[in-house]
């Protein structure tokens, strides 16, 4: 591995001449990948176009995490990721970032056998107490509206920007350099390896990982993944939760896509799929959708009918099929430029998979970065 660019670097500063791996984007995905790469001894340089990490989808995210997902490929990432979020030993802060308020996944009653099987798998792996609630009106402060529920008492939410900052701190301690306010403009092949053209100069890399989030839909030249990626709007609102409204777990209804999480002791974040495609990342909040979200969620939280609305935040995430054919099968896509990889779109769920996805991507990219020049 090359030693260029391994010096611990403050954010910003001069761009080094070379690195084993360049990571484009300092959202939660790029931070996870950078952390795992640096921990394995690679020289890593991260470029973030914004003035600070976590300025994209990560900074607007509700951060709900749970082990269960109806997609087995996502569940396989989410389960070890929840274990990482629970483990204080994995964090520079010395504190586990997980707020274990519980997670309730509501589904059609026909899914009860699958939920029971999932509960058994989760409990076996995590020594947890996941269980299925059927034939009841309510679980953990959430009305089930005719559904059955998988309750994961050990799941909940994390603060995505704190997680991102912690991983970048660990990466920096392991020698990575994080350059904020530096945009990657293009990536080109030169002598069989990537040359990364940035606002602040050109850097040669053994491999490049683009973790550009919704910007992957319209990427810098050389970073376009083989499969199409689109940006899709995600909008959430914060409402006040006044007594006698009960406290509640995080919640998602697989039948409708409705979701919610508690924010502190007296607020709740609510959301509903916002099917606006190719939405600019900074599009204004949609008040009609905010009203429709409250209305739809009263089936699960009747107290919402009188809850004061506090704020609405809109962002976007990258949506697309799982990548195929590259290293870390399903997580990375080739871009047509040798040794340049794009991380798959997370379809609105990148926080709950980031710890394990980052680990697997780092393993695959490190092998590629250190391979003989083709
Ligand atoms: C409102 C909202 C709520 C959400 N709630 C949840 C939830 O509860 N649970 C969950 O699991 N997921 C949730 N998500 C989804 C989750 O937040 C995302 O999947 C995840 O944050 C994506 O992280 P990322 O690092 O891939 O992308 P981002 O966080 O968008 O990071 C990409 C970074 O790349 C940078 N970048 C892009 N192009 C360039 C370039 N050319 N040069 C340099 N830098 C560049 C961007 O500035 C950005 O900082 C939510 C998302 C939103 C918007």
């Amino acid at each position: 591995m090359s030693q260029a660019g391994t010096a611990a670097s403050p954010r910003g500063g001069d761009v080094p001449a070379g690195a084993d791996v360049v990571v484009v984007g300092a959202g939660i995905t790029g931070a996870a990948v950078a952390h795992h790469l640096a921990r394995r001894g690679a020289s890593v340089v991260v470029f973030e176009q914004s003035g600070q990490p976590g300025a994209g989808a990560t900074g607007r995210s509700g951060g709900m995490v749970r082990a269960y997902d109806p997609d087995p490929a996502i569940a396989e990432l989410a389960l070890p990721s929840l274990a990482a979020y629970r483990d204080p030993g994995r964090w520079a802060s010395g504190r586990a970032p997980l707020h274990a308020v519980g997670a309730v996944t509501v589904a059609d009653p026909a899914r009860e056998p699958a939920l029971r099987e999932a509960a058994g798998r989760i409990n076996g792996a995590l020594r947890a107490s996941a269980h299925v609630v059927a034939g009841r009106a309510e679980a953990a402060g959430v009305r089930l509206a005719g559904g059955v529920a998988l309750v994961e008492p050990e799941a909940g939410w994390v603060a995505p920007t704190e997680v991102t900052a912690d991983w970048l701190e660990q990466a920096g301690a392991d020698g990575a350099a994080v350059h904020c306010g530096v945009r990657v403009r293009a990536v080109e092949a030169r002598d069989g390896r990537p040359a990364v053209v940035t606002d602040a100069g050109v850097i040669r890399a053994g491999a490049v990982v683009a973790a550009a989030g919704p910007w992957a839909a319209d990427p810098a030249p050389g970073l376009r993944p083989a499969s199409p990626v689109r940006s899709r709007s995600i909008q959430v609102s914060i409402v006040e939760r006044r007594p006698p409204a009960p406290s509640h777990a995080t919640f998602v209804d697989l039948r409708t896509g409705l979701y919610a999480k508690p924010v502190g002791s007296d607020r709740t974040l609510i959301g509903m799929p916002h099917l606006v495609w190719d939405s600019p990342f900074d599009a204004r909040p949609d008040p009609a959708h905010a009203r429709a979200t409250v209305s739809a969620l009263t089936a699960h939280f009747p107290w919402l009918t009188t809850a004061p609305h506090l704020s609405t935040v809109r962002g976007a995430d990258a949506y697309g099929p799982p990548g195929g054919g590259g290293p870390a099968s399903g997580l990375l896509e080739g871009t047509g430029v040798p040794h340049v990889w794009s991380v798959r779109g997370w379809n609105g769920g990148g926080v709950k998979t980031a710890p394990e996805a980052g680990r697997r991507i780092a393993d695959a990219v490190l092998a590629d970065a250190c391979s003989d020049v083709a």
Side-chain angles (χ1 to χ4, degrees):
M1 281 178 273
S2 96
Q3 292 304 302
T6 53
S9 165
R11 286 150 174 71
D14 292 336
V15 171
D20 292 326
V21 183
V22 164
V23 177
V24 184
I28 198 164
T29 308
V33 172
H35 158 56
H36 286 290
L37 282 166
R39 186 57 46 98
R40 284 160 181 67
S43 63
V44 181
V45 175
V46 181
F47 291 114
E48 168 52 51
Q49 64 187 1
S50 303
Q52 59 185 24
T58 298
R60 302 185 184 186
S61 178
M64 295 191 291
V65 295
R66 59 186 188 278
Y68 177 71
D69 194 276
D71 178 341
I74 296 294
E76 196 191 323
L77 298 171
L79 192 146
S81 293
L82 182 61
Y85 284 136
R86 290 171 71 189
D87 180 357
R90 305 228 197 157
W91 303 95
S93 66
R95 291 188 313 275
L98 178 69
H99 298 257
V101 297
V104 172
T105 303
V106 178
D108 188 277
R111 292 193 65 87
E112 186 179 337
L115 296 184
R116 290 196 183 281
E117 188 275 328
R121 188 167 35 82
I122 292 165
N123 293 341
L126 299 182
R127 279 190 271 170
S129 57
H131 55 277
V132 172
V133 171
R136 280 207 344 230
E138 180 266 339
V142 182
R143 295 271 178 98
L144 303 185
V148 294
L150 173 63
V151 181
E152 296 178 60
E154 290 80 11
W157 61 275
V158 299
T161 51
E162 286 177 22
V163 169
T164 301
D166 193 297
W167 275 329
L168 291 176
E169 185 183 336
Q170 294 189 63
D174 289 331
V178 182
H179 295 263
C180 289
V182 178
R183 183 165 184 272
V184 171
R185 299 204 162 275
V187 181
E188 302 159 359
R190 291 188 196 164
D191 304 324
R193 287 287 172 182
V196 181
V197 182
T198 78
D199 286 342
V202 178
I203 174 172
R204 306 297 305 275
V208 174
V209 182
W215 288 268
D218 183 23
L223 295 181
R224 180 174 295 286
S227 299
V229 171
R230 295 176 74 183
S231 65
R232 199 179 99 183
S233 175
I234 304 179
Q235 176 172 297
V236 296
S237 294
I238 306 283
V239 297
E240 199 174 324
R241 193 176 70 250
R242 289 180 175 162
S247 60
H248 60 87
T250 65
F251 150 79
V252 63
D253 189 332
L254 299 180
R255 300 168 300 179
T256 56
L258 295 166
Y259 54 93
K261 72 165 246 215
V263 181
S265 59
D266 59 356
R267 293 173 185 200
T268 288
L269 174 150
I270 56 173
M272 174 169 86
H274 194 209
L275 302 177
V276 181
W277 291 92
D278 309 317
S279 174
F281 185 75
D282 284 319
R284 286 183 173 189
D286 173 350
H289 185 71
R291 286 191 294 275
T293 302
V294 171
S295 173
L297 273 155
T298 53
H300 299 285
F301 302 102
W303 51 266
L304 275 175
T305 48
T306 56
H309 171 270
L310 298 176
S311 60
T312 296
V313 173
R314 185 167 169 185
D317 201 9
Y319 281 72
S329 180
L331 302 183
L332 293 173
E333 283 265 18
T335 61
V337 180
H339 311 290
V340 180
W341 305 99
S342 175
V343 175
R344 64 160 285 178
W346 292 111
N347 298 356
V351 174
K352 68 173 185 282
T353 51
E356 179 66 7
R359 189 186 70 77
R360 294 187 189 187
I361 290 167
D363 281 349
V365 170
L366 191 54
D368 179 51
C370 299
S371 62
D372 290 339
V373 174

